[in-house]
Amino acid sequence: MPTKIEKDAVTGRSTTGHEWDGIKELNTPLPRWWLYVFYACIAWSVGYYVFYPSLPWVHGVLGWSRRAELAETMQAERERIRPMLERIRATPIAAVDRSPELRDFAFAGGRAAFADNCAPCHGAGGAGAKGGFPALVDDEWIWGGDLAAIERTILYGVRSSHPDTRASQMPRFGADQILTAAQIADTAEHVLSLSGRSTDGAAAARGSAIFADNCAACHGPAGRGNVELGSPDLADRIWLFGSDKAAIAHSIHLGRGGVMPAWNTRLDEATIKMLTVYVHSLGGGR
């Protein structure tokens, strides 16, 4: 409860009449300059509310909004680049890559499109990731690395729902009991030997015959792969699902394969061509 208002003996100021545990509150007014600034801010906020959009459904007397300004800027940018996009649409992908002007424009546009659509799986720089996301910065391509092959892969995807998708299916040698666990272990040892990493020569020798009977038709006798079938090269040291014996045996057991969506229904023709040029530039450029 407020007590009697009185003069403070030390400061000479009046108290507010409030006291807590023997401590009395002084009645010290705010500085006038601070009050004037505070009132000015209130007046400014009222004016801002009237002239500019302060609520989602109130656009203000001036009719201006940052969103509308951004829309105008974006439309102006679309109009600026429209002629180049039309040229890219009308130009075969190989000719786009041969034209310095179109290639530079396509590279810049493809880099932006890649960051928006492809980087979540393939990485910001196309480095790929373990688990079925191929690296795009080397020159090892499962489905071919020339411009036409890359364009088709982007258009229709891999194991997607599109009827023209790139599709291959490795048998589930273990899950479907085509091979025994011992045979799978020997085959994995042989696959390791293709890149010079086998540590069990006898197992690799046994696996060689199994590989010839079951795997060579797709991967080739030397395991070099086949881009027509989407069969990875097993003789290099680039692996999608891990390179140790356990990971290779697991792939043989389950027949793993990644999925890439078809982009022809998500991106326009010019964007797909720009993506093709950009992705092609990341690798060795076959």
Side-chain angles (χ1 to χ4, degrees), residues 175-212:
D176 293 337
Q177 300 182 346
I178 300 172
L179 298 176
T180 65
Q183 289 175 316
I184 289 174
D186 289 345
T187 305
E189 194 67 42
H190 172 69
V191 171
L192 286 171
S193 74
L194 295 176
S195 55
R197 297 184 300 117
S198 173
T199 59
D200 188 336
R206 293 191 301 269
S208 176
I210 300 170
F211 184 92

Side-chain angles (χ1 to χ4, degrees), residues 114 118 122 125-128 134-141 279-284:
F114 187 92
C118 314
H122 290 285
L136 306 176
V137 293
D138 53 29
D139 202 21
E140 293 295 329
W141 303 88
V279 170
H280 183 257
S281 73
L282 294 177

Side-chain angles (χ1 to χ4, degrees), residues 98-132:
R98 287 194 300 266
S99 167
E101 182 185 16
L102 292 180
R103 184 178 62 246
D104 291 347
F105 183 88
F107 179 88
R111 180 170 55 185
F114 187 92
D116 289 341
N117 300 280
C118 314
C121 291
H122 290 285
K130 181 180 177 180

Side-chain angles (χ1 to χ4, degrees), residues 74-244:
M74 293 298 294
Q75 182 60 32
E77 181 63 17
R78 282 191 287 267
E79 292 299 325
R80 185 185 70 83
I81 66 176
R82 187 186 302 277
M84 289 295 289
L85 293 177
E86 292 297 336
R87 287 179 60 188
I88 289 177
R89 288 190 186 95
T91 305
I93 186 63
V96 171
D97 193 57
R98 287 194 300 266
S99 167
E101 182 185 16
L102 292 180
R103 184 178 62 246
D104 291 347
F105 183 88
F107 179 88
R111 180 170 55 185
F114 187 92
D116 289 341
N117 300 280
C118 314
C121 291
H122 290 285
K130 181 180 177 180
F133 308 110
L136 306 176
V137 293
D138 53 29
D139 202 21
E140 293 295 329
W141 303 88
I142 296 176
W143 293 98
D146 58 25
L147 287 163
I150 295 172
E151 183 181 31
R152 183 185 168 189
T153 301
I154 296 173
L155 279 169
Y156 307 125
V158 178
R159 302 179 189 91
S160 72
S161 59
H162 195 279
D164 295 324
T165 187
R166 294 191 181 280
S168 63
Q169 182 60 57
M170 177 177 170
R172 305 190 309 165
F173 288 103
D176 293 337
Q177 300 182 346
I178 300 172
L179 298 176
T180 65
Q183 289 175 316
I184 289 174
D186 289 345
T187 305
E189 194 67 42
H190 172 69
V191 171
L192 286 171
S193 74
L194 295 176
S195 55
R197 297 184 300 117
S198 173
T199 59
D200 188 336
R206 293 191 301 269
S208 176
I210 300 170
F211 184 92
D213 291 340
N214 297 275
C215 315
C218 292
H219 291 283
R224 299 302 302 183
N226 187 335
V227 295
E228 297 298 325
L229 301 176
S231 304
D233 187 342
L234 305 177
D236 56 22
R237 299 197 177 191
I238 300 173
W239 301 88
L240 288 177
F241 295 97
S243 60
D244 58 27

